[in-house]
Amino acid sequence: MGGSKPGTPRYALEDETGEIRYYVTPAPGVNLRDYVGHQIGVSGNLGFLPDQQRQHVTARHIVPLDASSGGTVLR
């Protein structure tokens, strides 16, 4: 899962090396728990979290990806 520091979103998208690329917050009605550990595509609003120096996505739509697609993994 994402960061443990106060104010850090609970979820993060990591690349194949395990580096966090985006923090993710679900939009109302979006459940991310079922996707933790899976490669996914995310549609939503993009922003930036200055305290974490990372991009942030408010996830509105999730698409599971095939493991061979090389997508990011939700943690």
Side-chain angles (χ1 to χ4, degrees), residues 7-32:
T8 302
R10 181 174 184 174
Y11 300 99
L13 290 172
E14 296 179 349
D15 64 17
E16 61 278 349
T17 66
E19 185 173 336
I20 293 174
R21 293 298 179 182
Y22 301 89
Y23 282 110
V24 183
T25 301
V30 175
N31 179 3
L32 295 178

Side-chain angles (χ1 to χ4, degrees), residues 27-66:
V30 175
N31 179 3
L32 295 178
R33 284 176 281 173
D34 294 341
Y35 297 103
V36 172
H38 298 278
Q39 289 185 352
I40 60 170
V42 178
S43 296
N45 296 340
L46 186 61
F48 187 76
L49 298 174
D51 291 344
Q52 285 78 26
Q53 292 296 300
R54 291 278 189 264
Q55 290 187 327
H56 174 261
V57 178
T58 301
R60 298 195 180 284
H61 184 72
I62 306 298
V63 177
L65 300 176
D66 184 281

